[in-house]
Amino acid sequence: MLGDGVALTALMVAAARAIETHRPDSLARDDYAEHFVRAAPASADWPVHPRDVPDGDANPLWGRLARYFGLRTRMLDDVVLAAGNRQAVLLGAGLDTRAFRLDRPPDSVVFELDRAPVLAFKQQVLDSLGAHPRATRHAVIADLRDDWARLLPAFRPDEPTTWLAEGLLLYLPGDVERRLIDTADRLSAPGSTLAYEVKPVREDPAVRDNPVYASTKAQTGIDLLALFDHEPRPDSAATLTARGWNTRVHTPFEFTRRYGRGPLPEPHDALAANRWVTATKT
């Protein structure tokens, strides 16, 4: 069962996706998300609809941060669909349901890597709903700090792959990020796409006092600042570029402008340091 640490953040993101799904101007739809939230005792009373959110969009967690997660979901959905690769690997998949939500090319394969309790909980909820994936789906029990590449069943390194690391690298040490990038690079054929989120700089005290962090801890018990890894971050985007990837580094606010909805900058912004990186291997 999910109930602590980084695993609990998967439920927080699921609640945000549920709220996003029910917005009249929704950027992304995930009809499974609210079922994950309701199935876990730790999150059973969290909001899953905009009408349930105290103070509406003024709520730092379920308003501003939830909109951020909705925006991130849409951006990565678009990356997956634009890449069009038959093979996808979700690193730290959490409660991601893209294998169920998105139209996939024929004979698609999706590998979902995460720890055993997360995958077991996820499967239990999906089974209770009678959910069927739109691709061949492999749930792979893996600790991304270890050698996870050898665990991928029937993976084809000779064909392009879409790699996603959504809400993952913020919690991992820099050396683990380096190994993850090295592994994805080594296993990627030309035409592969990699998308991930990073917070490349340590935030100053004024940012760490942002209401997003305090509100998240008060409303869910999740101390994001304690979960973030605070070691110096590697410049993985530069590494990918040097290895022949066409790499772009984005701020979330670029996508707020692109889609016409999402968080905008604010003073001492908890989101301002976040970067969304997309790369294609040439």
Side-chain angles (χ1 to χ4, degrees):
M1 186 58 66
L2 309 187
D4 65 309
V6 174
L8 192 55
T9 67
L11 290 167
M12 177 180 68
V13 175
R17 286 179 177 151
I19 293 168
E20 181 69 27
T21 296
H22 293 296
R23 291 183 183 277
D25 55 353
S26 174
L27 290 175
R29 186 175 186 88
D30 184 349
D31 293 322
Y32 303 98
E34 66 183 273
H35 297 282
F36 294 129
V37 178
R38 290 290 176 254
S43 59
D45 61 349
W46 292 358
V48 294
H49 194 287
R51 64 171 175 257
D52 303 328
V53 177
D55 304 321
D57 282 348
N59 187 296
L61 168 58
W62 302 123
R64 179 174 172 76
L65 189 57
R67 279 182 172 254
Y68 171 84
F69 291 136
L71 184 70
R72 188 181 72 184
T73 299
R74 170 61 180 275
M75 174 266 189
L76 292 175
D77 283 356
D78 286 353
V79 166
V80 172
L81 294 172
N85 294 325
R86 187 189 74 89
Q87 187 167 252
V89 180
L90 311 181
L91 299 164
L95 302 178
D96 186 309
T97 59
R98 290 187 172 90
F100 298 81
R101 295 191 295 108
L102 300 184
D103 290 329
R104 306 285 298 146
D107 303 320
S108 288
V109 181
V110 177
F111 302 92
E112 300 183 5
L113 279 65
D114 215 315
R115 293 181 296 166
V118 176
L119 294 175
F121 169 78
K122 181 177 183 176
Q123 193 62 53
Q124 178 183 2
V125 175
L126 291 170
D127 287 346
S128 73
L129 298 172
H132 297 285
R134 302 184 183 186
T136 299
R137 174 175 169 260
H138 297 287
V140 181
I141 297 172
D143 186 333
L144 296 175
R145 292 173 171 82
D146 299 331
D147 179 14
W148 48 266
R150 60 185 175 80
L151 303 175
L152 296 178
F155 179 82
R156 295 284 304 273
D158 58 329
E159 65 175 77
T161 302
T162 299
W163 304 85
L164 294 190
E166 180 178 10
L168 171 67
L169 300 183
L170 291 77
Y171 308 111
L172 296 180
D175 65 324
V176 177
E177 178 177 332
R178 291 185 186 92
R179 291 200 302 271
L180 185 148
I181 295 296
D182 288 346
T183 302
D185 176 45
R186 174 170 56 85
L187 296 178
S188 290
S192 294
T193 292
L194 169 62
Y196 61 93
E197 176 188 27
V198 288
K199 194 183 283 286
V201 298
R202 182 176 174 83
E203 295 164 328
D204 63 41
V207 173
R208 294 197 293 274
D209 287 338
N210 187 282
V212 161
Y213 293 130
S215 178
T216 299
K217 186 175 182 179
Q219 296 184 74
T220 66
I222 300 172
D223 187 345
L224 289 172
L225 291 171
L227 293 176
F228 291 155
D229 186 87
H230 297 296
E231 291 182 6
R233 307 309 306 173
D235 190 346
S236 295
T239 297
L240 290 167
T241 299
R243 295 181 183 180
W245 292 69
N246 182 3
T247 309
R248 296 181 175 85
V249 181
H250 311 270
T251 71
F253 308 121
E254 293 177 46
F255 293 92
T256 295
R257 291 188 289 272
R258 177 180 300 183
Y259 298 124
R261 193 179 74 68
L264 293 169
E266 66 179 21
H268 308 305
D269 199 335
L271 305 178
N274 292 22
R275 294 294 181 268
W276 296 347
V277 182
T278 57
T280 303
K281 193 168 188 177
T282 56

